């Protein structure tokens, strides 16, 4: 299999580099940690290692070194489409190389072979109460797939450490193949009561399959959005909650199903992936309150009302970025090229003018710019996917692409159990008292 071959070729060099760092340079100081960082959610502490992606505060995500516009331009496209094949993105994340169209299609073909969902997963989903949040359903479905993990099976049989990554890759391909099918089933079952299992069509790519299984009316347009959406949400270096949770759990040698269900649980929080649903809710509220796209002054007041009521403006701010998120820009460009007159798109655009100014005036948020969640739901809404509780599921399908690539490389490079050290408040106060003592 193509990804297996490529990773095998690259492994000796990466292992050598890792060995040098671990053995010969272990005592070189990289950074210092301040009290502010310890009490402030570990922000900016450089302590994670990944080559899959990097968030540059001034330029946004670099996927294997490529900006979003470069990624969208250079990856091979689905036939008759302006958007890249998701299989090509997976090849890029896994290998660090830009694939040819054939290589991207080989990954897509792997997904075709693995997209079948075990019957018990459907049964499990159907036993849940009707009002269960779709992120609970997705997390449960993913967790239940651990039953078939190649990694866990081989581990029990005594698999050697240097081949851990091979069964990690097997599981990752299986998981990423099944996710769009599971997500589409959850959508059709939960909101339309459909019990029929979605069928993956080998003649279609990942994005087109998803659009077909979701049964939206404009399948072609939604396939384009799905390709873009999954690519944009795939990875955002390793410190974000979903990636970090997946990595942490994986470091205990839990299989990717356990690890990713932890990542999904983190994604389900309103400060992380759930912000896309909150963000659309905020826009819809504004539209309802003002009977359409409001005047700028009204929107300004609405944004201040949100802040004054102790809430955040969803879709704005970021832990690392200090410019408008290029993923936001890519989605906005997509919308403006296809449906510029859509009322919610115009409203989201006006919020982009007003919200940063309000956040700057308030002076708290370090990044007053929009992140990916500020507009992602608006595009789903346009294509008729209006059940916005479901949006984080879509984020999850995309995020699996990045975190599984990281999981495979973490096993390939024998990244160890993650185990940072904690302190007590008294210990921290003692450190402060000592630092403040006159010399
Ligand atoms: N609206 C109001 N206040 C904000 C916002 C915002 N959009 N962003 C940051 N702040 C506040 C933040 O709550 C904090 O206040 P306090 O000191 O009272 O605790 C202060 O500004 C400093 O926060 P930062 O250091 O700028 O941001 P931090 O790194 O802690 O948090 C987010 C980053 C993304 C959690 C934060 O900006 C936020 O809550 N944004 C809204 C929710 C959102 O859009 N989340 C999605 C993130 C992207 N994703 O896809 O996961
Ligand atoms: C993400 O895509 O994970 C979010 O932008 C959050 C982050 O990077 O912290």
């Amino acid at each position: 299999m193509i990804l297996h071959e490529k990773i095998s070729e690259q492994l000796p060099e990466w292992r050598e580099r890792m060995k040098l760092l671990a053995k010969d340079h272990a005592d070189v100081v990289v950074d210092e940690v301040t009290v502010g960082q310890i009490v402030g959610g570990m922000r900016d502490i450089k302590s994670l290692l990944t080559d899959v992606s990097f968030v540059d505060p001034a330029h946004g995500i670099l996927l294997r070194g490529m900006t979003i516009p470069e990624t969208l331009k250079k990856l091979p496209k689905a036939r008759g489409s302006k958007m890249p094949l998701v299989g090509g993105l997976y090849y890029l994340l896994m290998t660090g190389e830009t694939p040819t169209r054939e290589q991207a299609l080989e990954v897509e073909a792997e997904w075709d072979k693995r997209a079948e969902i075990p019957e018990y997963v459907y049964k499990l989903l159907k036993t849940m109460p009707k009002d269960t949040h779709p992120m609970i359903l997705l997390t449960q479905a993913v967790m239940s797939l651990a039953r078939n993990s190649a990694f866990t099976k081989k581990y029990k049989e005594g698999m050697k450490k240097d081949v851990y990554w091979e069964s990690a890759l097997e599981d990752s391909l299986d998981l990423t193949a099944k996710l769009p099918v599971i997500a589409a089933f959850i959508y059709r079952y939960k909101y339309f009561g459909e019990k029929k299992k979605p069928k993956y069509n080998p003649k279609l790519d990942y994005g087109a399959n998803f659009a077909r299984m979701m049964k939206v009316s404009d399948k072609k347009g939604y396939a384009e959005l799905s390709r873009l959406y999954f690519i944009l949400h795939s990875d955002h270096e390793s410190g974000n909650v979903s990636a970090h949770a997946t990595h942490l759990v994986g470091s205990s040698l839990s299989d990717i199903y356990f690890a990713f269900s932890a990542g999904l649980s983190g994604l389900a929080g309103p400060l992380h992936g759930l912000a896309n649903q909150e963000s659309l809710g905020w826009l819809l509220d504004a539209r309802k309150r003002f009977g359409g796209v409001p005047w700028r002054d009204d929107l300004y007041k609405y944004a201040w009302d949100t802040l004054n009521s102790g809430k955040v403006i969803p879709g704005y701010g970021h832990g690392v970025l200090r410019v408008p998120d290029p993923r936001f820009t890519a989605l906005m460009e997509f919308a403006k090229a296809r449906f510029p007159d859509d009322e919610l798109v115009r409203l989201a655009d006006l919020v982009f003018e007003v919200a940063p100014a309000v956040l700057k005036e308030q002076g708290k948020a370090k990044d007053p710019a929009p992140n990916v969640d500020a507009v992602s739901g608006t595009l789903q809404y346009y294509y008729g996917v209006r059940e916005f509780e479901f949006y984080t599921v879509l984020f999850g399908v995309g995020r699996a692409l990045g975190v599984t690539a990281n999981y495979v490389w973490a096993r390939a490079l024998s990244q160890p159990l993650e185990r940072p050290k904690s302190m007590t408040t008294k210990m921290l106060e003692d450190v402060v008292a000592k630092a403040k003592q006159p010399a």
Side-chain angles (χ1 to χ4, degrees), residues 11 33 35 50 104 135 140 153 156 184 196 223 271 310 320 359 403 422 438:
L11 256 184
V33 178
V35 171
T50 177
M135 279 303 278
Q140 281 180 324
K153 183 168 175 282
K156 279 192 200 141
K196 234 173 110 199
L271 296 189
V320 178
L359 285 168
V403 298
S422 56

Side-chain angles (χ1 to χ4, degrees), residues 122-163:
Y122 290 117
K123 278 199 188 132
L124 170 80
L125 293 174
K126 287 180 196 165
T127 53
M128 292 303 292
K130 271 288 188 205
D131 61 354
T132 307
H133 193 282
M135 279 303 278
I136 302 179
L137 297 176
L138 181 67
T139 310
Q140 281 180 324
V142 168
M143 175 103 75
S144 76
L145 287 170
R147 178 175 178 267
N148 312 312
S149 165
F151 183 89
T152 300
K153 183 168 175 282
K154 292 256 170 69
Y155 188 82
K156 279 192 200 141
E157 290 165 6
M159 155 175 71
K160 293 248 166 50
K161 204 171 178 174
D162 64 344
V163 294

Side-chain angles (χ1 to χ4, degrees), residues 176-437:
T176 47
K178 292 179 193 336
L179 277 172
V181 187
I182 294 173
F185 176 76
I186 291 173
Y187 182 68
R188 297 299 314 176
Y189 175 67
K190 182 171 167 61
Y191 301 110
F192 303 91
E194 261 182 44
K195 298 201 172 113
K196 234 173 110 199
K197 300 174 226 167
K199 228 179 144 26
Y200 205 86
N201 179 347
K203 294 202 185 92
L204 300 176
D205 70 286
Y206 205 75
N209 257 301
F210 188 64
R212 220 185 105 262
M213 293 185 294
M214 288 286 286
K215 301 191 180 172
V216 291
S217 54
D218 177 1
K219 294 196 181 46
K220 207 157 177 274
Y222 193 67
E224 282 290 69
L225 175 64
S226 300
R227 293 176 190 115
L228 177 66
Y229 196 98
F230 295 147
I231 289 171
L232 294 180
H233 287 81
S234 61
D235 210 35
H236 219 232
E237 71 175 32
S238 289
N240 68 74
V241 172
S242 50
H244 191 192
T246 307
H247 174 72
L248 169 67
V249 174
S251 84
S252 76
L253 299 186
S254 285
D255 60 53
I256 188 62
Y257 303 104
F258 278 122
F260 184 54
S261 54
L264 284 174
S265 301
L267 196 65
L271 296 189
H272 192 19
L274 204 80
N276 56 19
Q277 109 177 27
E278 309 251 315
S279 190
L280 180 63
W282 195 78
L283 292 182
L284 290 172
D285 260 8
R287 187 170 74 169
K288 195 168 159 206
R289 185 184 300 196
F290 302 108
V293 178
W295 293 105
R296 180 188 300 260
D297 288 354
D298 288 336
L299 189 62
Y300 173 87
K301 190 174 169 312
Y302 175 69
W304 264 114
D305 286 349
T306 301
L307 294 182
N308 290 335
S309 67
K311 293 191 196 129
V312 295
I313 299 181
Y316 281 74
H318 200 272
V320 178
L321 287 171
R322 295 297 174 256
V323 287
D325 189 337
R327 300 172 297 176
F328 165 85
T329 311
L331 287 167
M332 213 33 155
E333 281 171 3
F334 182 99
K336 285 187 179 174
R338 287 166 174 82
F339 37 94
D341 299 330
D342 179 73
E343 207 174 42
L344 279 178
V345 173
R346 288 195 290 121
L347 175 53
D349 208 24
L350 187 62
V351 174
F352 178 35
E353 285 176 33
V354 172
V358 170
L359 285 168
K360 270 190 211 155
E361 271 175 53
Q362 191 204 31
K364 273 168 64 171
K366 293 189 192 72
D367 172 39
N371 61 59
V372 66
D373 294 325
V375 74
S376 58
T378 302
L379 278 71
Q380 294 294 333
Y381 199 82
Y382 173 80
Y383 284 104
V385 180
R386 298 196 163 176
E387 299 75 10
F388 38 107
E389 269 188 353
F390 184 73
Y391 295 170
T392 314
V393 169
L394 299 166
F395 194 152
V397 175
R399 184 48 50 98
L401 301 163
V403 298
T404 54
N406 275 286
Y407 179 89
V408 170
W409 276 97
R411 299 294 79 73
L413 299 176
S414 299
Q415 287 197 355
L417 179 79
E418 202 176 272
R419 199 339 182 160
K421 183 79 187 83
S422 56
M423 300 172 82
T424 64
T425 306
K426 174 77 172 61
M427 285 172 192
L428 200 55
E429 286 162 352
D430 288 348
V431 172
V432 172
K434 202 164 162 210
K436 299 277 170 186
Q437 259 170 19

Side-chain angles (χ1 to χ4, degrees), residues 34-224:
T34 64
V35 171
Q37 289 176 309
I38 295 174
V39 297
M42 300 196 279
R43 209 65 87 253
D44 292 334
I45 299 178
K46 296 188 185 78
S47 54
L48 293 161
L49 193 56
T50 177
D51 292 280
V52 177
S53 73
F54 177 76
V55 180
D56 181 329
H59 296 106
I61 185 70
L62 302 173
L63 296 168
R64 290 288 191 173
M66 287 204 274
T67 62
I68 290 294
E70 282 165 353
T71 307
L72 296 178
K73 190 165 170 221
K74 290 191 183 159
L75 286 181
K77 310 290 175 291
R79 204 175 295 287
S81 147
K82 289 200 167 68
M83 290 298 149
L85 287 158
V86 181
L89 182 271
Y90 204 44
Y91 185 102
L92 173 74
L93 297 182
M94 281 282 185
T95 70
E97 293 174 15
T98 308
T100 60
R101 201 179 136 74
E102 286 62 41
Q103 287 166 329
L105 288 173
E106 273 197 59
V107 176
E108 296 270 350
E110 276 300 320
W111 281 332
D112 292 339
K113 283 191 264 167
R114 298 164 185 262
E116 182 93 17
I117 312 295
E119 192 55 42
Y120 74 84
V121 178
Y122 290 117
K123 278 199 188 132
L124 170 80
L125 293 174
K126 287 180 196 165
T127 53
M128 292 303 292
K130 271 288 188 205
D131 61 354
T132 307
H133 193 282
M135 279 303 278
I136 302 179
L137 297 176
L138 181 67
T139 310
Q140 281 180 324
V142 168
M143 175 103 75
S144 76
L145 287 170
R147 178 175 178 267
N148 312 312
S149 165
F151 183 89
T152 300
K153 183 168 175 282
K154 292 256 170 69
Y155 188 82
K156 279 192 200 141
E157 290 165 6
M159 155 175 71
K160 293 248 166 50
K161 204 171 178 174
D162 64 344
V163 294
Y164 281 177
W165 70 273
E166 297 186 13
S167 37
L169 177 61
E170 274 300 302
D171 282 351
S172 295
L173 281 163
D174 275 345
L175 171 63
T176 47
K178 292 179 193 336
L179 277 172
V181 187
I182 294 173
F185 176 76
I186 291 173
Y187 182 68
R188 297 299 314 176
Y189 175 67
K190 182 171 167 61
Y191 301 110
F192 303 91
E194 261 182 44
K195 298 201 172 113
K196 234 173 110 199
K197 300 174 226 167
K199 228 179 144 26
Y200 205 86
N201 179 347
K203 294 202 185 92
L204 300 176
D205 70 286
Y206 205 75
N209 257 301
F210 188 64
R212 220 185 105 262
M213 293 185 294
M214 288 286 286
K215 301 191 180 172
V216 291
S217 54
D218 177 1
K219 294 196 181 46
K220 207 157 177 274
Y222 193 67
E224 282 290 69

